[in-house]
Amino acid sequence: MVDAVDATMSDSEIHPSAIIASGAKIGRGVTIGPWCSVGPDVIIEDGVKLIANVVVDGHTTLGKDSVYYPFSTIGLAPQDLKYKGEPTRCIIGSRTVVREQVTIHRGTESGDGITTVGSDCLLMVNSHIAHDCHLGNRVIIVNNVVLGGHVHIDDDARVMGSAAIHQFVRIGKAALVGGVTGVESDVIPYGSVLGNRARLVGMHWIWLKRNGVQNEELHVLRHVYRTLFPREENQTCVFEERLQAVKDKFGHSDRVQEIIDFIEQPSRRGLVKVGRSISSSEKEG
């Protein structure tokens, strides 16, 4: 890692039109294309590519071999009126790909002070990652998705196009959020939600099957889901009793325990409710 002024000594390719502030740290084999801007507190690790017209500012670290497409902005000030210029941070993991017009804001002092995106993520065109959000590894965010502040998304989750996630929502491991879905509450690990206001409609069976989960475990997860989230007409006991029944019968399963742990963690938003979401047009009809 060298200062920006010595970047040519690190086998990096920096276009003459790029503006690299003094103090920025540039790794080996970095490519910084035309009209990029890199602030003085930025750290760019080995093999990073800024294709063109990328702005990186603040106390921001771009992980090894990550790629940033034109007009993406990373580490700029948060859209939070309480923010007064504190030296908060933004960290992007290795091999993550950030497509055109994505915005990722740094954290706030009143939050965690840091925004993080894990490794091997894909953030598609025009998505927004707000201040103090935390994304795990291998997360996919599709076009036009907006995350409010303080959203937590665990490993392998998928958020489909034009979904909107309310601030402080948690999305569990390998969960699926359908397109054009408004998520106001937490989504359990491996859960699948859909609708104008999100409703839990099942488990993310496709991900589970593609990742080698065997039929016996799928059967267990199906039983757990039906126990925890029966349709209203089938509810014979309160949620706490249903959760205890799942603990007693299936707590030995690692994936079931992940769901239990997620449910038992403190939450500001509660859990997404079960059931088919009804759109406004359906209600009017």
Side-chain angles (χ1 to χ4, degrees):
M1 197 71 65
V2 298
D3 290 333
V5 293
D6 299 320
T8 55
M9 299 172 58
S10 65
D11 302 323
S12 294
E13 299 180 11
I14 300 179
H15 193 275
S17 65
I19 300 173
I20 315 295
S22 177
K25 303 293 184 183
I26 309 295
R28 300 187 66 86
V30 169
T31 300
I32 300 179
W35 311 113
C36 292
S37 174
V38 177
D41 298 307
V42 172
I43 298 173
I44 299 180
E45 297 184 351
D46 296 351
V48 169
K49 294 183 180 180
L50 310 184
I51 292 178
N53 298 94
V54 177
V55 177
V56 189
D57 200 10
H59 293 264
T60 295
T61 299
L62 306 184
K64 183 177 179 182
D65 296 321
S66 53
V67 181
Y68 304 83
Y69 279 73
F71 305 106
S72 56
T73 62
I74 318 298
L76 272 66
Q79 298 176 130
D80 186 327
L81 295 176
K82 298 185 296 298
Y83 181 75
K84 304 301 179 185
E86 298 87 357
T88 52
R89 296 183 293 155
C90 177
I91 297 179
I92 313 298
S94 300
R95 299 173 302 282
T96 282
V97 175
V98 176
R99 293 302 305 249
E100 297 87 340
Q101 297 175 298
V102 169
T103 53
I104 306 174
H105 290 168
R106 58 183 180 258
T108 63
E109 194 172 60
S110 60
D112 297 330
I114 184 171
T115 300
T116 60
V117 176
S119 298
D120 301 297
C121 295
L122 172 58
L123 310 183
M124 295 189 192
V125 171
N126 204 43
S127 53
H128 172 64
I129 314 300
H131 60 86
D132 303 291
C133 285
H134 298 285
L135 278 61
N137 300 320
R138 300 174 301 280
V139 171
I140 296 178
I141 304 293
V142 181
N143 298 17
N144 304 310
V145 167
V146 290
L147 307 185
H150 313 275
V151 168
H152 284 234
I153 302 181
D154 292 338
D155 294 351
D156 298 300
R158 308 286 189 260
V159 183
M160 298 295 104
S162 299
I165 316 299
H166 194 286
Q167 61 183 357
F168 293 105
V169 159
R170 299 178 302 141
I171 296 177
K173 180 178 179 180
L176 174 65
V177 176
V180 202
T181 294
V183 184
E184 299 175 312
S185 304
D186 298 344
V187 182
I188 61 168
Y190 312 106
S192 177
V193 299
L194 183 66
N196 182 296
R197 289 296 182 266
R199 291 293 181 267
L200 189 64
V201 295
M203 302 290 279
H204 192 181
W205 301 117
I206 292 176
W207 186 92
L208 290 164
K209 292 174 182 177
R210 286 178 177 173
N211 284 270
V213 179
Q214 300 300 307
N215 286 337
E216 182 178 354
E217 188 173 5
L218 291 173
H219 178 74
V220 168
L221 290 170
R222 186 173 287 107
H223 187 85
V224 167
Y225 176 80
R226 290 174 176 172
T227 301
L228 287 175
F229 306 106
R231 293 190 176 276
E232 290 185 8
E233 62 269 21
N234 297 328
Q235 292 182 11
T236 59
C237 55
V238 298
F239 182 78
E240 288 74 14
E241 293 174 348
R242 301 198 298 273
L243 180 61
Q244 188 60 52
V246 167
K247 289 181 184 179
D248 293 341
K249 190 169 184 179
F250 300 111
H252 61 277
S253 165
D254 289 343
R255 285 193 173 85
V256 174
Q257 190 59 50
E258 287 176 11
I259 296 171
I260 294 169
D261 291 343
F262 182 92
I263 291 171
E264 292 187 327
Q265 288 175 7
S267 170
R268 297 181 62 160
R269 302 299 305 171
L271 293 176
V272 169
K273 297 184 183 301
V274 70
R276 187 176 69 91
S277 182
I278 301 175
S279 68
S280 298
S281 60
E282 287 178 309
K283 289 178 180 178
E284 292 169 1

